Amino acid sequence: MLQPTEFGSVGVRLQLKSWEWDKDVSSPGRVKQLRELSVANSSAATYKVCLPSSLLLSKRVERISWFDGTASSNSSCGDRSVLVKVSEGGAISLPHGWSLEKVSEDKIKQDPVPKMKGTTRFFTIGLVAAWYSSNIGVLLLNKYLLSNYGFKYPIFLTMCHMTACSLFSYVAIAWLKVVPLQTIRSRVQFFKISALSLIFCVSVVFGNVSLRYLPVSFNQAIGATTPFFTAVFAYLMTFKREAWLTYLSLVPVVTGVVIASGGEPSFHLFGFIICIAATAARALKSVVQGILLSSEGEKLNSMNLLLYMAPMAVFFLLPASLIMEENVIGITVALARDDVKIIWYLLFNSALAYFVNLTNFLVTKHTSALTLQVLGNAKGAVAVVVSILIFRNPVSVTGMLGYTLTVFGVVLYSETKKRSK
């Protein structure tokens, strides 16, 4: 059992006695045990240090949870010791293997703990621009291939995306060390990830099928209703109730899509149903992911989850494509003989599909999940404008008003969710 140690207002150096224990904490399976501790010294400066979650602190020492699965385990913990400032009456309970060493104020001034370097504004803007470009690019290229170009094989196209995600994920994690590798710990966890992969396949395939029949602008309007389906599935599967204002904010989300549907010149009933199904499947995946991978030992960051989900998706999609899209490989080869550009389209589109996931991950890491949500709402509007300019699909004032109302509802929903927490 851990015993608290009392201190006055003095600097304390926490040093690890056992290097093996430190390696265990830094290993892929335990990386989420890292936390950031923010403590202020007498000059009101703030030092940021990494400590294992098992280090218990009193209320006199503030601990801010920061590790969301996106930062590397050794981003600010290169040394085996960290320096913290304990306020008067503070207490620290040490795990096994840690020792304490009091440090004088003079020593603190001479050898302070370095602050973490913040991401530059230009780098963040570049990431957001790359995320926007890849998201909108893969959406428009999917539309072009499946509708304008005439490559009517959405399952095979999705399989190409997942194959690229499998290869690039392995390179990024195993070779480039973009994030620490997290391992699957049990057969049960494997089957949970398989279930998520199957739902993910349905959402992506249905989304691509809908692009054959609907313009991108209307597709994005329907996709904006994801929060509505998320709230419904969360209530049905976990009995999670939101504040009444949160549910009220979903009214303009649904109303906007109804209005946009009535005013859509290119409305197609089958495409509309498939797009609704894709949106619902996307929401279902997020809810199921929260349920299945809820324990600390099973949580995976988005990059590691993609590393395991993508090959499973290929396993599901390959037989489905061969059965449902007859002679798709032979037809693709024949198309390539007539027009080699189809190969480059597929390769570029597949690489872009992985880049969407990578930039999504990096934007979340260098901003926040809330910022990503706000940027996502704006991205939908940008995608609508760009698609109209490129494909010249007809739009009506009623349809645009409906879409605007939907986006307004999504923003309102996000705000009420944030305030209810």
Side-chain angles (χ1 to χ4, degrees):
M1 184 164 179
L2 304 180
Q3 298 296 327
T5 306
E6 302 288 340
F7 300 97
S9 182
V10 64
V12 178
R13 187 177 294 278
L14 306 177
Q15 190 164 10
L16 196 61
K17 289 181 177 178
S18 170
W19 176 246
E20 290 300 318
W21 191 80
D22 185 44
K23 283 176 67 178
D24 188 36
V25 171
S26 299
S27 68
R30 300 281 295 280
V31 72
K32 287 205 68 154
Q33 291 189 23
L34 294 178
R35 294 291 184 267
E36 185 175 9
L37 173 70
S38 180
V39 287
N41 65 9
S42 57
S43 61
T46 299
Y47 293 137
K48 296 179 179 179
V49 296
C50 287
L51 298 173
S53 60
S54 54
L55 189 67
L56 304 180
L57 304 170
S58 73
K59 292 182 179 178
R60 300 282 181 152
V61 185
E62 181 185 4
R63 180 167 66 191
I64 301 173
S65 177
W66 71 285
F67 190 79
D68 59 357
T70 62
S72 61
S73 61
N74 59 356
S75 59
S76 60
C77 304
D79 298 329
R80 291 174 56 185
S81 62
V82 290
L83 187 68
V84 299
K85 186 78 174 180
V86 183
S87 61
E88 189 70 37
I92 296 179
S93 295
L94 296 176
H96 176 71
W98 283 81
S99 63
L100 287 177
E101 172 195 346
K102 289 189 178 181
V103 183
S104 66
E105 293 292 338
D106 292 337
K107 178 63 175 174
I108 294 175
K109 292 177 182 178
Q110 294 173 7
D111 186 26
V113 178
K115 297 181 181 180
M116 293 179 66
K117 295 180 180 179
T119 307
T120 64
R121 180 178 299 179
F122 290 111
F123 181 68
T124 304
I125 293 174
L127 281 179
V128 173
W131 180 57
Y132 265 49
S133 301
S134 57
N135 263 276
I136 296 173
V138 76
L139 181 67
L140 297 180
L141 193 50
N142 283 347
K143 174 64 178 177
Y144 174 76
L145 286 171
L146 295 168
S147 182
N148 296 61
Y149 188 86
F151 187 79
K152 301 178 180 180
Y153 304 103
I155 302 177
F156 181 77
L157 180 63
T158 306
M159 191 194 71
C160 291
H161 291 179
M162 292 300 100
T163 302
C165 287
S166 302
L167 297 174
F168 287 128
S169 293
Y170 181 79
V171 171
I173 296 175
W175 290 1
L176 301 181
K177 309 293 184 183
V178 173
V179 294
L181 175 66
Q182 295 173 288
T183 57
I184 297 179
R185 295 188 169 190
S186 65
R187 186 177 298 178
V188 173
Q189 187 183 14
F190 174 82
F191 285 116
K192 288 178 178 180
I193 297 174
S194 299
L196 286 175
S197 180
L198 184 59
I199 299 172
F200 179 65
C201 287
V202 172
S203 67
V204 177
V205 170
F206 279 23
N208 286 339
V209 170
S210 70
L211 286 172
R212 287 183 56 189
Y213 304 97
L214 300 177
V216 173
S217 55
F218 191 42
N219 180 282
Q220 289 293 287
I222 298 171
T225 61
T226 302
F228 168 77
F229 290 102
T230 303
V232 171
F233 286 127
Y235 177 76
L236 293 176
M237 301 176 70
T238 66
F239 302 104
K240 181 182 178 182
R241 293 177 179 268
E242 303 285 355
W244 67 272
L245 276 175
T246 304
Y247 289 119
L248 190 63
S249 67
L250 291 172
V251 174
V253 174
V254 179
T255 304
V257 170
V258 173
I259 294 174
S261 301
E264 175 55 50
S266 305
F267 181 83
H268 191 285
L269 181 59
F270 177 74
F272 175 77
I273 294 172
I274 291 295
C275 193
I276 287 287
T279 305
R282 197 178 306 123
L284 179 62
K285 176 192 169 287
S286 64
V287 175
V288 172
Q289 181 175 330
I291 297 172
L292 297 184
L293 303 179
S294 57
S295 66
E296 284 296 325
E298 291 184 335
K299 286 182 179 178
L300 300 172
N301 63 52
S302 59
M303 296 302 290
N304 275 276
L305 186 59
L306 182 65
L307 173 66
Y308 295 115
M309 282 179 52
M312 295 177 186
V314 174
F315 177 79
F316 293 132
L317 292 169
L318 180 58
S321 177
L322 293 176
I323 294 171
M324 301 175 67
E325 298 174 331
E326 187 177 354
N327 196 29
V328 61
I329 296 178
I331 293 173
T332 304
V333 172
L335 284 173
R337 288 172 179 167
D338 294 335
D339 184 8
V340 73
K341 287 191 294 184
I342 183 64
I343 300 298
W344 294 110
Y345 285 147
L346 291 174
L347 290 175
F348 180 68
N349 193 22
S350 300
L352 208 57
Y354 172 75
F355 202 62
V356 169
N357 292 278
L358 178 63
T359 52
N360 185 307
F361 170 82
L362 292 174
V363 170
T364 306
K365 174 181 176 180
H366 292 285
T367 57
S368 67
L370 180 61
T371 302
L372 187 76
Q373 195 173 45
V374 174
L375 292 171
N377 296 335
K379 175 183 65 67
V382 174
V384 168
V385 174
V386 172
S387 68
I388 292 173
L389 292 175
I390 292 177
F391 295 110
R392 308 280 183 183
N393 55 281
V395 292
S396 65
V397 175
T398 305
M400 291 307 296
L401 287 175
Y403 179 69
T404 303
L405 182 60
T406 297
V407 173
F408 171 75
V410 172
V411 173
L412 192 63
Y413 172 79
S414 302
E415 190 65 24
T416 54
K417 282 273 289 183
K418 183 177 69 174
R419 294 190 177 188
S420 65
K421 292 182 179 178

